[in-house]
Coordinates of all heavy atoms in Angstrom, one line a residue:
M2 N 33.0 47.1 133.2 CA 32.9 48.4 133.9 C 33.6 48.2 135.3 O 33.4 47.3 136.0 CB 31.4 48.6 134.1 CG 31.1 49.7 135.2 SD 29.4 49.9 135.6 CE 28.9 48.2 136.0
Q3 N 34.5 49.1 135.5 CA 35.2 49.1 136.8 C 34.6 50.1 137.7 O 34.7 51.3 137.5 CB 36.7 49.5 136.5 CG 37.6 49.4 137.7 CD 37.8 48.0 138.2 OE1 37.7 47.0 137.4 NE2 38.2 47.8 139.4
P4 N 34.0 49.7 138.8 CA 33.4 50.6 139.8 C 34.4 51.3 140.6 O 35.5 50.8 140.9 CB 32.5 49.7 140.6 CG 33.2 48.4 140.6 CD 33.8 48.3 139.2
R5 N 34.0 52.6 141.0 CA 34.8 53.3 142.0 C 34.3 52.9 143.4 O 33.2 53.0 143.7 CB 34.7 54.8 141.8 CG 35.3 55.3 140.5 CD 35.1 56.8 140.3 NE 33.7 57.1 140.0 CZ 33.1 58.1 140.5 NH1 33.7 59.0 141.2 NH2 31.8 58.4 140.2
I6 N 35.2 52.4 144.2 CA 34.9 51.9 145.5 C 35.5 52.8 146.6 O 36.7 53.1 146.5 CB 35.4 50.5 145.7 CG1 34.8 49.6 144.6 CG2 35.0 49.9 147.1 CD1 35.4 48.2 144.5
S7 N 34.7 53.3 147.5 CA 35.2 54.1 148.6 C 34.6 53.6 149.9 O 33.6 53.0 149.9 CB 35.0 55.6 148.4 OG 33.6 55.8 148.3
A8 N 35.3 53.9 151.0 CA 34.8 53.5 152.3 C 34.8 54.7 153.3 O 35.7 55.6 153.2 CB 35.7 52.4 152.9
R9 N 33.8 54.8 154.1 CA 33.7 55.7 155.2 C 33.8 55.0 156.5 O 33.2 54.0 156.7 CB 32.4 56.5 155.1 CG 32.3 57.4 154.0 CD 31.0 58.2 154.1 NE 30.5 58.6 152.8 CZ 29.2 58.6 152.4 NH1 28.3 58.2 153.3 NH2 28.9 59.0 151.2
H10 N 34.6 55.5 157.4 CA 34.8 55.0 158.7 C 35.2 53.5 158.8 O 34.7 52.7 159.5 CB 33.4 55.1 159.5 CG 32.9 56.5 159.5 ND1 31.7 56.8 158.9 CD2 33.3 57.6 160.1 CE1 31.5 58.1 159.0 NE2 32.5 58.6 159.7
G11 N 36.1 53.2 157.9 CA 36.6 51.8 157.9 C 37.4 51.5 156.6 O 37.5 52.4 155.8
K12 N 37.9 50.3 156.5 CA 38.6 49.9 155.3 C 37.9 48.7 154.7 O 37.2 47.9 155.3 CB 40.0 49.5 155.7 CG 40.9 50.6 156.2 CD 42.3 50.2 156.5 CE 43.1 51.4 157.0 NZ 44.5 51.0 157.3
I13 N 38.2 48.5 153.4 CA 37.6 47.4 152.6 C 38.7 46.5 152.2 O 39.7 46.9 151.7 CB 36.8 47.9 151.4 CG1 35.7 48.9 151.8 CG2 36.3 46.8 150.6 CD1 35.0 49.5 150.6
T14 N 38.6 45.2 152.5 CA 39.6 44.2 152.2 C 39.5 43.9 150.7 O 38.6 44.3 150.0 CB 39.4 42.9 152.9 OG1 38.1 42.3 152.5 CG2 39.4 43.1 154.4
E15 N 40.6 43.3 150.2 CA 40.7 43.0 148.7 C 39.6 42.0 148.4 O 39.0 42.1 147.3 CB 42.1 42.4 148.4 CG 43.2 43.5 148.4 CD 42.9 44.6 147.4 OE1 42.5 44.3 146.2 OE2 43.1 45.7 147.7
V16 N 39.3 41.0 149.2 CA 38.2 40.0 148.9 C 36.9 40.7 148.8 O 36.1 40.4 147.9 CB 38.2 39.0 150.1 CG1 37.0 38.0 149.9 CG2 39.5 38.2 150.2
T17 N 36.6 41.7 149.7 CA 35.4 42.4 149.6 C 35.3 43.3 148.3 O 34.3 43.4 147.7 CB 35.2 43.3 150.9 OG1 35.3 42.5 152.0 CG2 33.9 44.0 150.9
K18 N 36.4 43.9 148.0 CA 36.5 44.7 146.7 C 36.2 43.8 145.5 O 35.4 44.2 144.6 CB 37.9 45.3 146.6 CG 38.1 46.5 147.4 CD 39.4 47.2 147.1 CE 39.7 48.3 148.1 NZ 41.0 49.0 147.8
E19 N 36.7 42.6 145.5 CA 36.4 41.7 144.4 C 34.9 41.3 144.3 O 34.3 41.3 143.3 CB 37.3 40.4 144.5 CG 38.7 40.6 144.3 CD 39.0 41.0 142.9 OE1 38.4 40.5 141.9 OE2 39.9 41.9 142.7
H20 N 34.3 41.1 145.5 CA 32.9 40.8 145.6 C 32.1 42.0 145.1 O 31.1 41.8 144.3 CB 32.5 40.5 147.0 CG 31.1 40.1 147.2 ND1 30.6 38.8 146.8 CD2 30.0 40.7 147.6 CE1 29.3 38.8 147.0 NE2 28.9 39.9 147.5
I21 N 32.5 43.2 145.4 CA 31.8 44.4 144.9 C 31.9 44.6 143.4 O 30.9 44.9 142.7 CB 32.3 45.7 145.7 CG1 31.9 45.7 147.1 CG2 31.8 47.0 145.0 CD1 32.6 46.7 148.0
I22 N 33.1 44.3 142.9 CA 33.3 44.4 141.4 C 32.4 43.4 140.7 O 31.8 43.7 139.7 CB 34.8 44.2 141.1 CG1 35.6 45.4 141.6 CG2 35.0 44.0 139.6 CD1 37.1 45.2 141.6
E23 N 32.3 42.1 141.2 CA 31.5 41.1 140.6 C 30.0 41.5 140.6 O 29.3 41.4 139.7 CB 31.6 39.8 141.4 CG 32.9 39.1 141.1 CD 33.1 37.8 142.0 OE1 32.0 37.3 142.5 OE2 34.2 37.3 142.2
S24 N 29.6 42.1 141.8 CA 28.2 42.6 141.9 C 27.9 43.7 140.9 O 26.8 43.7 140.2 CB 27.9 43.1 143.3 OG 28.0 42.0 144.2
C25 N 28.8 44.6 140.7 CA 28.6 45.7 139.8 C 28.7 45.2 138.3 O 27.9 45.7 137.5 CB 29.7 46.8 140.0 SG 29.4 47.7 141.5
C26 N 29.5 44.2 138.0 CA 29.5 43.7 136.6 C 28.2 43.0 136.3 O 27.8 43.0 135.1 CB 30.7 42.7 136.5 SG 32.3 43.6 136.5
K27 N 27.5 42.4 137.3 CA 26.2 41.8 137.0 C 25.2 42.8 136.5 O 24.2 42.5 135.8 CB 25.7 41.2 138.3 CG 26.4 39.9 138.7 CD 25.7 39.4 140.0 CE 26.6 38.3 140.6 NZ 26.0 37.9 141.9
L28 N 25.3 44.1 136.9 CA 24.4 45.1 136.5 C 24.4 45.4 135.0 O 23.4 45.9 134.5 CB 24.6 46.4 137.3 CG 24.5 46.3 138.8 CD1 24.9 47.6 139.5 CD2 23.1 45.9 139.2
D29 N 25.5 45.1 134.3 CA 25.5 45.3 132.9 C 24.5 44.5 132.1 O 24.1 44.9 131.0 CB 26.9 45.0 132.4 CG 27.9 46.1 132.6 OD1 27.5 47.3 132.6 OD2 29.1 45.8 132.7
Q30 N 24.1 43.4 132.7 CA 23.1 42.6 132.0 C 21.7 43.2 132.0 O 20.8 42.8 131.2 CB 23.0 41.2 132.6 CG 22.4 41.1 133.9 CD 22.6 39.7 134.5 OE1 23.4 38.9 134.1 NE2 21.8 39.4 135.5
Y31 N 21.4 44.1 132.9 CA 20.1 44.8 132.9 C 20.0 46.0 132.1 O 19.0 46.4 131.6 CB 19.8 45.1 134.4 CG 19.7 43.9 135.3 CD1 20.7 43.7 136.2 CD2 18.7 43.0 135.2 CE1 20.7 42.6 137.0 CE2 18.7 41.8 135.9 CZ 19.7 41.6 136.9 OH 19.7 40.5 137.6
F32 N 21.2 46.7 131.9 CA 21.2 47.9 131.0 C 22.7 48.0 130.6 O 23.5 48.2 131.4 CB 20.7 49.1 131.7 CG 20.6 50.3 130.8 CD1 19.5 50.4 130.0 CD2 21.5 51.3 130.9 CE1 19.4 51.5 129.1 CE2 21.4 52.4 130.0 CZ 20.3 52.5 129.2
D33 N 22.9 48.0 129.3 CA 24.3 48.0 128.8 C 24.8 49.4 128.6 O 26.0 49.5 128.2 CB 24.4 47.2 127.5 CG 23.5 47.7 126.4 OD1 22.7 48.6 126.6 OD2 23.6 47.2 125.3
G34 N 24.1 50.4 128.8 CA 24.6 51.8 128.6 C 25.1 52.4 129.9 O 25.1 53.7 130.0
I35 N 25.5 51.7 130.9 CA 26.0 52.2 132.1 C 27.3 52.9 131.9 O 28.3 52.4 131.3 CB 26.2 51.1 133.2 CG1 24.8 50.5 133.5 CG2 26.8 51.7 134.4 CD1 24.9 49.4 134.5
I36 N 27.4 54.2 132.3 CA 28.6 55.0 132.1 C 29.5 54.9 133.3 O 30.7 54.7 133.1 CB 28.2 56.5 131.9 CG1 27.4 56.6 130.6 CG2 29.4 57.4 131.9 CD1 26.8 58.0 130.5
D37 N 28.9 55.0 134.5 CA 29.8 55.0 135.7 C 29.1 54.2 136.8 O 27.8 54.2 136.9 CB 30.0 56.4 136.1 CG 31.0 56.6 137.3 OD1 32.0 55.8 137.3 OD2 30.8 57.4 138.1
C38 N 29.8 53.6 137.7 CA 29.3 53.0 138.9 C 30.2 53.3 140.1 O 31.4 53.2 140.0 CB 29.3 51.5 138.7 SG 28.7 50.5 140.1
E39 N 29.6 53.8 141.1 CA 30.3 54.2 142.3 C 29.6 53.4 143.5 O 28.4 53.4 143.7 CB 30.3 55.7 142.6 CG 31.0 56.1 143.8 CD 31.0 57.6 144.0 OE1 30.4 58.3 143.2 OE2 31.6 58.0 145.0
V40 N 30.5 52.8 144.4 CA 30.0 52.1 145.5 C 30.7 52.7 146.8 O 31.9 52.9 146.8 CB 30.4 50.6 145.5 CG1 29.9 49.9 146.7 CG2 29.7 50.0 144.2
V41 N 29.8 53.2 147.7 CA 30.3 53.8 149.0 C 29.9 52.9 150.1 O 28.7 52.7 150.3 CB 29.8 55.2 149.1 CG1 30.3 55.8 150.4 CG2 30.1 56.1 148.0
A42 N 30.9 52.3 150.8 CA 30.6 51.5 152.0 C 30.8 52.3 153.2 O 31.8 53.0 153.4 CB 31.5 50.3 152.0
D43 N 29.8 52.2 154.2 CA 29.9 53.1 155.4 C 29.7 52.2 156.6 O 28.7 51.4 156.7 CB 28.8 54.1 155.3 CG 28.9 55.2 156.4 OD1 29.9 55.1 157.2 OD2 28.1 56.1 156.5
K44 N 30.6 52.3 157.5 CA 30.5 51.5 158.8 C 29.8 52.3 159.8 O 30.2 53.5 160.0 CB 32.0 51.2 159.3 CG 32.0 50.3 160.4 CD 31.8 48.9 159.9 CE 32.2 47.9 161.1 NZ 31.7 46.6 160.8
E45 N 28.7 51.8 160.3 CA 27.9 52.5 161.2 C 27.9 51.8 162.6 O 28.4 50.7 162.7 CB 26.4 52.7 160.7 CG 26.3 53.5 159.5 CD 24.9 53.7 159.0 OE1 24.0 52.8 159.3 OE2 24.6 54.7 158.3
K46 N 27.3 52.4 163.6 CA 27.2 51.8 164.9 C 26.5 50.5 164.9 O 26.9 49.5 165.5 CB 26.5 52.7 165.9 CG 27.4 53.9 166.4 CD 26.6 54.6 167.5 CE 27.5 55.8 168.0 NZ 26.8 56.6 169.0
R47 N 25.4 50.4 164.2 CA 24.6 49.2 164.1 C 24.6 48.6 162.7 O 23.6 48.6 162.0 CB 23.2 49.5 164.6 CG 23.1 49.9 166.0 CD 21.6 50.0 166.4 NE 21.5 50.3 167.8 CZ 21.3 51.5 168.3 NH1 21.2 52.5 167.5 NH2 21.2 51.7 169.6
G48 N 25.8 48.1 162.3 CA 25.8 47.4 161.0 C 26.5 48.2 160.0 O 27.3 49.2 160.3
D49 N 26.3 47.9 158.7 CA 26.9 48.5 157.6 C 25.9 49.1 156.7 O 24.8 48.6 156.6 CB 27.8 47.5 156.8 CG 29.0 47.1 157.6 OD1 29.6 48.0 158.3 OD2 29.4 45.9 157.5
K50 N 26.3 50.1 155.9 CA 25.5 50.7 154.9 C 26.2 50.8 153.6 O 27.4 51.1 153.6 CB 25.1 52.1 155.4 CG 24.2 52.9 154.4 CD 23.8 54.2 155.1 CE 23.9 55.3 154.1 NZ 23.6 56.6 154.7
V51 N 25.6 50.4 152.5 CA 26.2 50.5 151.2 C 25.3 51.3 150.2 O 24.1 51.2 150.2 CB 26.4 49.1 150.6 CG1 26.9 49.2 149.1 CG2 27.4 48.3 151.4
E52 N 26.0 52.3 149.5 CA 25.3 53.1 148.6 C 25.9 52.8 147.2 O 27.1 52.9 147.0 CB 25.4 54.6 148.9 CG 24.6 55.5 148.0 CD 24.7 56.9 148.5 OE1 25.7 57.3 149.2 OE2 23.9 57.7 148.0
I53 N 25.0 52.5 146.2 CA 25.4 52.3 144.8 C 24.9 53.4 144.0 O 23.7 53.7 144.0 CB 24.9 50.9 144.3 CG1 25.5 49.8 145.1 CG2 25.3 50.8 142.8 CD1 25.0 48.4 144.7
I54 N 25.7 54.1 143.2 CA 25.3 55.2 142.4 C 25.7 54.8 140.9 O 26.9 54.6 140.6 CB 26.0 56.5 142.8 CG1 25.8 56.8 144.2 CG2 25.6 57.6 141.9 CD1 26.7 57.8 144.9
I55 N 24.7 54.7 140.1 CA 24.8 54.3 138.7 C 24.5 55.5 137.8 O 23.4 56.1 138.0 CB 23.9 53.1 138.4 CG1 24.2 51.9 139.2 CG2 24.0 52.7 136.9 CD1 25.4 51.1 138.9
T56 N 25.4 55.8 136.9 CA 25.1 56.8 135.9 C 24.9 56.2 134.5 O 25.7 55.5 134.1 CB 26.3 57.8 135.9 OG1 26.5 58.3 137.2 CG2 26.0 59.0 135.0
V57 N 23.8 56.6 133.9 CA 23.5 56.2 132.5 C 23.2 57.5 131.8 O 23.1 58.6 132.4 CB 22.3 55.3 132.4 CG1 22.5 54.0 133.2 CG2 21.0 55.9 133.0
P58 N 23.2 57.5 130.5 CA 22.9 58.8 129.8 C 21.7 59.4 130.2 O 20.6 58.8 130.3 CB 22.8 58.3 128.3 CG 23.6 57.1 128.2 CD 23.4 56.4 129.6
Q59 N 21.8 60.7 130.7 CA 20.6 61.5 131.1 C 19.9 61.1 132.3 O 18.8 61.5 132.6 CB 19.6 61.6 129.9 CG 20.2 62.2 128.7 CD 19.2 62.1 127.5 OE1 18.2 61.5 127.6 NE2 19.7 62.7 126.4
H60 N 20.6 60.2 133.1 CA 19.9 59.7 134.4 C 20.9 59.2 135.3 O 22.0 58.7 135.0 CB 18.9 58.7 134.0 CG 17.7 58.7 134.9 ND1 17.8 58.2 136.2 CD2 16.4 59.0 134.7 CE1 16.6 58.4 136.8 NE2 15.8 58.8 135.9
T61 N 20.6 59.3 136.6 CA 21.4 58.7 137.7 C 20.6 57.9 138.7 O 19.5 58.4 139.1 CB 22.2 59.8 138.5 OG1 23.0 60.6 137.6 CG2 23.1 59.3 139.6
F62 N 21.0 56.7 139.0 CA 20.2 55.9 139.9 C 21.0 55.7 141.2 O 22.2 55.5 141.2 CB 20.0 54.5 139.3 CG 19.2 54.5 138.0 CD1 19.8 54.4 136.8 CD2 17.8 54.7 138.1 CE1 19.0 54.4 135.6 CE2 17.1 54.8 136.9 CZ 17.7 54.6 135.7
T63 N 20.3 55.8 142.3 CA 20.9 55.6 143.6 C 20.2 54.6 144.4 O 18.9 54.7 144.5 CB 21.0 57.0 144.4 OG1 21.6 57.9 143.6 CG2 21.7 56.8 145.7
A64 N 20.9 53.7 145.1 CA 20.2 52.7 146.0 C 21.1 52.5 147.2 O 22.3 52.5 147.1 CB 20.1 51.4 145.2
T65 N 20.4 52.4 148.3 CA 21.1 52.2 149.6 C 20.6 51.0 150.3 O 19.4 50.7 150.3 CB 20.8 53.4 150.5 OG1 21.1 54.6 149.9 CG2 21.5 53.3 151.8
G66 N 21.5 50.2 150.8 CA 21.2 49.0 151.6 C 21.9 49.0 152.9 O 23.0 49.5 153.1
K67 N 21.1 48.5 153.9 CA 21.7 48.4 155.3 C 21.6 47.0 155.7 O 20.7 46.3 155.4 CB 20.9 49.3 156.2 CG 21.0 50.8 156.0 CD 20.3 51.6 157.0 CE 20.5 53.1 156.7 NZ 19.8 53.9 157.8
G68 N 22.6 46.6 156.5 CA 22.6 45.2 157.0 C 23.6 45.0 158.1 O 24.4 45.9 158.5
D69 N 23.6 43.8 158.7 CA 24.5 43.5 159.8 C 25.9 43.4 159.3 O 26.8 43.7 160.1 CB 24.1 42.1 160.4 CG 22.8 42.2 161.1 OD1 22.3 43.3 161.6 OD2 22.1 41.1 161.3
N70 N 26.1 43.1 158.1 CA 27.5 43.1 157.5 C 27.4 43.7 156.1 O 26.4 44.0 155.6 CB 28.1 41.7 157.6 CG 27.4 40.7 156.7 OD1 27.0 41.0 155.6 ND2 27.2 39.5 157.2
L71 N 28.6 43.9 155.6 CA 28.7 44.6 154.3 C 28.1 43.8 153.2 O 27.5 44.4 152.3 CB 30.2 44.8 154.0 CG 30.6 45.8 152.9 CD1 30.1 47.2 153.3 CD2 32.0 45.7 152.6
Y72 N 28.2 42.5 153.2 CA 27.6 41.6 152.1 C 26.1 41.7 152.1 O 25.5 41.8 151.0 CB 28.1 40.2 152.3 CG 29.6 40.0 152.1 CD1 30.4 39.9 153.2 CD2 30.1 40.0 150.8 CE1 31.8 39.7 153.0 CE2 31.5 39.9 150.6 CZ 32.3 39.8 151.7 OH 33.7 39.6 151.6
I73 N 25.4 41.7 153.2 CA 24.0 41.8 153.3 C 23.6 43.2 152.7 O 22.6 43.3 152.0 CB 23.5 41.6 154.7 CG1 23.7 40.2 155.1 CG2 22.0 41.9 154.8 CD1 23.5 39.9 156.6
A74 N 24.3 44.3 153.2 CA 24.0 45.6 152.7 C 24.2 45.8 151.2 O 23.4 46.4 150.5 CB 24.8 46.6 153.5
L75 N 25.2 45.1 150.7 CA 25.5 45.2 149.3 C 24.4 44.5 148.5 O 24.0 45.0 147.4 CB 26.9 44.6 149.0 CG 27.3 44.6 147.5 CD1 27.4 46.0 147.0 CD2 28.6 43.8 147.4
A76 N 24.0 43.3 148.9 CA 23.0 42.6 148.3 C 21.6 43.4 148.2 O 21.0 43.4 147.2 CB 22.7 41.2 148.9
E77 N 21.3 44.0 149.3 CA 20.1 44.8 149.3 C 20.2 46.0 148.4 O 19.2 46.2 147.6 CB 19.8 45.3 150.7 CG 18.5 46.1 150.9 CD 18.3 46.6 152.3 OE1 18.8 46.0 153.3 OE2 17.7 47.7 152.4
A78 N 21.3 46.7 148.4 CA 21.4 47.8 147.5 C 21.5 47.4 146.0 O 20.9 48.0 145.1 CB 22.7 48.6 147.8
E79 N 22.1 46.3 145.8 CA 22.2 45.7 144.4 C 20.8 45.4 143.9 O 20.5 45.7 142.7 CB 23.1 44.5 144.4 CG 23.3 43.9 143.0 CD 24.1 42.6 143.1 OE1 24.5 42.2 144.2 OE2 24.3 42.0 142.0
S80 N 20.0 44.7 144.7 CA 18.6 44.4 144.2 C 17.8 45.6 144.0 O 17.0 45.6 143.0 CB 17.9 43.5 145.2 OG 17.7 44.1 146.4
K81 N 18.0 46.7 144.7 CA 17.2 47.9 144.5 C 17.6 48.6 143.2 O 16.8 49.0 142.4 CB 17.4 48.9 145.7 CG 16.7 48.5 147.0 CD 17.0 49.5 148.1 CE 16.3 49.1 149.3 NZ 16.6 50.1 150.4
V82 N 18.9 48.6 143.0 CA 19.4 49.3 141.7 C 19.1 48.4 140.5 O 18.8 48.9 139.4 CB 20.9 49.7 141.8 CG1 21.8 48.5 141.5 CG2 21.2 50.9 140.9
E83 N 19.0 47.1 140.7 CA 18.6 46.2 139.6 C 17.2 46.5 139.2 O 16.9 46.6 138.0 CB 18.7 44.7 140.0 CG 20.0 44.1 139.9 CD 19.9 42.7 140.5 OE1 18.8 42.1 140.6 OE2 21.0 42.2 140.8
A84 N 16.3 46.7 140.1 CA 14.9 47.0 139.8 C 14.8 48.3 139.1 O 14.0 48.5 138.1 CB 14.1 47.0 141.1
Q85 N 15.6 49.3 139.5 CA 15.5 50.6 138.9 C 16.0 50.5 137.4 O 15.5 51.1 136.5 CB 16.4 51.6 139.6 CG 15.8 52.0 141.0 CD 16.8 52.9 141.8 OE1 17.7 53.4 141.2 NE2 16.5 53.1 143.0
L86 N 17.1 49.8 137.2 CA 17.7 49.6 135.9 C 16.7 48.9 134.9 O 16.5 49.2 133.8 CB 19.0 48.9 135.9 CG 20.2 49.7 136.4 CD1 21.4 48.9 136.6 CD2 20.5 50.9 135.4
K87 N 16.1 47.8 135.5 CA 15.1 47.1 134.7 C 13.9 48.0 134.3 O 13.5 47.9 133.1 CB 14.5 45.9 135.5 CG 15.5 44.7 135.6 CD 14.8 43.6 136.5 CE 15.8 42.5 136.8 NZ 15.2 41.5 137.7
K88 N 13.4 48.7 135.2 CA 12.3 49.6 134.9 C 12.7 50.7 133.9 O 12.0 50.9 132.9 CB 11.9 50.3 136.2 CG 10.6 51.2 136.1 CD 10.2 51.8 137.4 CE 9.0 52.7 137.2 NZ 8.6 53.2 138.5
Y89 N 13.9 51.2 134.0 CA 14.4 52.2 133.0 C 14.6 51.6 131.7 O 14.2 52.2 130.7 CB 15.7 52.8 133.5 CG 16.3 53.9 132.7 CD1 15.7 55.1 132.6 CD2 17.4 53.6 131.9 CE1 16.2 56.1 131.8 CE2 18.0 54.6 131.1 CZ 17.4 55.8 131.0 OH 17.9 56.8 130.2
H90 N 15.1 50.4 131.6 CA 15.3 49.7 130.4 C 14.0 49.4 129.7 O 13.8 49.6 128.5 CB 16.1 48.4 130.6 CG 16.3 47.6 129.3 ND1 15.4 46.6 128.9 CD2 17.3 47.7 128.4 CE1 15.9 46.1 127.8 NE2 17.0 46.7 127.4
D91 N 13.0 48.9 130.4 CA 11.7 48.7 129.8 C 11.0 50.0 129.3 O 10.4 49.9 128.3 CB 10.8 48.0 130.9 CG 11.3 46.6 131.2 OD1 12.1 46.0 130.4 OD2 10.8 46.1 132.3
K92 N 11.2 51.0 130.0 CA 10.7 52.3 129.6 C 11.3 52.8 128.3 O 10.6 53.3 127.4 CB 10.9 53.4 130.7 CG 10.4 54.7 130.5 CD 10.6 55.6 131.7 CE 10.2 57.0 131.4 NZ 10.5 57.9 132.6
I93 N 12.6 52.7 128.2 CA 13.3 53.0 127.0 C 12.9 52.2 125.8 O 12.6 52.7 124.7 CB 14.9 52.9 127.2 CG1 15.4 53.9 128.2 CG2 15.6 53.1 125.9 CD1 15.4 55.3 127.8
V94 N 12.8 50.9 126.0 CA 12.4 49.9 125.0 C 11.0 50.2 124.5 O 10.7 50.2 123.3 CB 12.6 48.5 125.4 CG1 12.0 47.5 124.4 CG2 14.1 48.2 125.6
S95 N 10.1 50.5 125.4 CA 8.7 50.7 125.0 C 8.4 52.0 124.3 O 7.5 52.1 123.5 CB 7.8 50.6 126.3 OG 8.0 51.7 127.1
H96 N 9.3 52.9 124.4 CA 9.2 54.2 123.7 C 9.8 54.2 122.3 O 9.6 55.2 121.6 CB 9.8 55.3 124.6 CG 8.9 55.7 125.7 ND1 7.8 56.5 125.6 CD2 9.0 55.4 127.0 CE1 7.3 56.7 126.8 NE2 8.0 56.0 127.7
H97 N 10.5 53.1 122.0 CA 11.1 53.1 120.7 C 10.6 52.0 119.8 O 9.9 51.2 119.9 CB 12.6 52.9 120.8 CG 13.3 54.1 121.4 ND1 13.7 55.1 120.7 CD2 13.7 54.4 122.7 CE1 14.3 56.0 121.4 NE2 14.3 55.6 122.7

């Protein structure tokens, strides 16, 4: 899965893009039906904010993370969306 990466109020380096791609590829292990992944990085006055938007059939998950730098914000958003995907996967599996 190739995520769409965009930035607000700043630029993202190639190294950071590679880190974002690796983080998004990890999400496939929690639910294999991911259709789309979008990552929006936002530079704010006090740190960075990252929003991850995951689209699966009939549902969309959104998680936001804030931190002193982009990597901390990405890790927070990633852990939030992981929890959402795990819960959704368990719900799907238990109903079938």
Side-chain angles (χ1 to χ4, degrees):
M2 167 188 52
Q3 185 70 22
R5 292 180 290 143
I6 302 169
S7 60
R9 289 187 206 139
H10 308 113
K12 294 184 179 180
I13 300 175
T14 63
E15 287 300 318
V16 175
T17 306
K18 282 183 183 179
E19 290 297 321
H20 184 74
I21 291 171
I22 291 169
E23 287 175 18
S24 295
C25 288
C26 288
K27 289 179 192 174
L28 297 175
D29 278 333
Q30 70 187 21
Y31 300 108
F32 187 76
D33 60 354
I35 296 175
I36 297 171
D37 186 38
C38 178
E39 182 179 1
V40 178
V41 180
D43 191 4
K44 188 80 169 165
E45 295 181 336
K46 284 185 179 180
R47 294 188 177 98
D49 291 322
K50 179 176 138 183
V51 173
E52 183 178 19
I53 299 176
I54 304 162
I55 301 286
T56 305
V57 298
Q59 303 171 355
H60 212 288
T61 302
F62 299 103
T63 305
T65 304
K67 292 183 180 183
D69 293 335
N70 62 44
L71 194 66
Y72 294 102
I73 294 171
L75 179 63
E77 183 181 329
E79 182 184 0
S80 67
K81 287 180 181 179
V82 83
E83 276 177 20
Q85 292 176 11
L86 286 171
K87 286 178 188 177
K88 184 176 178 181
Y89 182 70
H90 179 265
D91 292 345
K92 183 178 176 183
I93 296 287
V94 170
S95 68
H96 285 279
H97 290 278

